[in-house]
Amino acid sequence: NAGVTQTPKFRILKIGQSMTLQCTQDMNHNYMYWYRQDPGMGLKLIYYSVGAGITDKGEVPNGYNVSRSTTEDFPLRLELAAPSQTSVYFCASSTEGGVFFGQGTRLTVV
Amino acid sequence: EDKVVQSPLSLVVHEGDTVTLNCSYEVTNFRSLLWYKQEKKAPTFLFMLTSSGIEKKSGRLSSILDKKELSSILNITATQTGDSAIYLCAVYRSGNTPLVFGKGTRLSVIA
């Protein structure tokens, strides 16, 4: 049972580059989330989705975009990477039984 | 605006001490409260609590929800250095709304 799978695990980007963080879950969960976590801090919600075709902004959406074309996949796109986006990114999915996290992507923008 | 507030934000204790972490919430349509422990990677699930008020226990950790006070506590007895982590509290709400996380409590246990 794979759960929530994120790729890549690590990435270094140059300022202005773009990239997509991939997230897929095999639990048929409707709810999916993207969080970022800065060093020593808690989680901040970037975007979330309550089902295929439906996405909404969280508390820190600027500089990011998402799509949810299928129940399984919820990619996060950075269009013009900035140093302020250096962080660890977590994808999660949830059901009433709990929240399941991916292992995270450590992104550094230089 | 829905919010989850954890206290303290950070805590340093010695091995063997007992600690109590707090989580208070102001949310609409509360369903359940979850506690997570985060070390170096993704948060790992500890407990889910509902308005039933039933205490949950796992080894040296225990947690309970006070629905009247809109809060929960996480107790850790006989702390060990391996308990050092960020402890996150999150609240589940009814309807198409995301989880609300608190900012976490950073616990450091020193020998």
Side-chain angles (χ1 to χ4, degrees):
Chain A
N1 189 353
V4 178
T5 303
Q6 280 182 245
T7 56
K9 291 184 180 178
F10 303 95
R11 185 70 186 268
I12 298 175
L13 278 182
K14 293 184 178 179
I15 294 171
Q17 286 186 319
S18 62
M19 77 164 294
T20 299
L21 281 66
Q22 301 291 344
C23 177
T24 187
Q25 52 98 3
D26 61 0
M27 297 171 283
N28 203 34
H29 290 168
N30 284 325
Y31 288 76
M32 295 188 75
Y33 312 82
W34 273 106
Y35 292 94
R36 61 174 285 173
Q37 186 175 35
D38 299 328
M41 307 292 285
L43 297 168
K44 291 184 178 179
L45 182 65
I46 305 171
Y47 272 95
Y48 70 99
S49 169
V50 301
I54 306 170
T55 63
D56 209 345
K57 296 178 180 178
E59 56 184 308
V60 289
N62 292 341
Y64 307 94
N65 277 301
V66 294
S67 60
R68 186 91 182 273
S69 57
T70 66
T71 299
E72 295 77 20
D73 300 308
F74 190 40
L76 176 73
R77 182 141 181 97
L78 285 71
E79 291 293 349
L80 290 170
S84 60
Q85 293 177 305
T86 294
S87 191
V88 179
Y89 292 83
F90 290 101
C91 177
S93 70
S94 73
T95 179
E96 288 194 23
V99 182
F100 300 81
F101 286 89
Q103 286 303 300
T105 296
R106 184 175 295 278
L107 176 65
T108 303
V109 181
V110 297
Chain B
E1 181 183 341
D2 292 340
K3 60 180 179 180
V4 175
V5 178
Q6 291 187 243
S7 63
L9 290 180
S10 66
L11 187 60
V12 180
V13 300
H14 289 94
E15 272 190 315
D17 287 350
T18 294
V19 298
T20 298
L21 310 183
N22 297 282
C23 176
S24 63
Y25 57 91
E26 292 181 29
V27 303
T28 53
N29 302 317
F30 172 87
R31 286 193 72 104
S32 60
L33 184 147
L34 302 96
W35 283 99
Y36 287 85
K37 176 182 181 182
Q38 186 179 23
E39 296 172 88
K40 294 185 177 179
K41 292 193 174 179
T44 55
F45 175 77
L46 293 176
F47 300 113
M48 174 181 275
L49 304 162
T50 66
S51 298
S52 67
I54 295 174
E55 183 182 23
K56 298 289 182 75
K57 288 185 177 182
S58 177
R60 297 176 294 103
L61 277 66
S62 64
S63 184
I64 193 165
L65 183 80
D66 186 333
K67 62 181 178 180
K68 186 177 178 183
E69 296 295 325
L70 304 182
S71 65
S72 174
I73 59 171
L74 174 67
N75 279 320
I76 309 174
T77 59
T79 52
Q80 302 170 358
T81 55
D83 295 325
S84 296
I86 295 175
Y87 290 83
L88 296 166
C89 169
V91 171
Y92 233 129
R93 300 166 293 171
S94 300
N96 291 338
T97 52
L99 284 172
V100 182
F101 272 92
K103 295 188 183 300
T105 293
R106 176 178 284 279
L107 174 65
S108 299
V109 182
I110 55 178

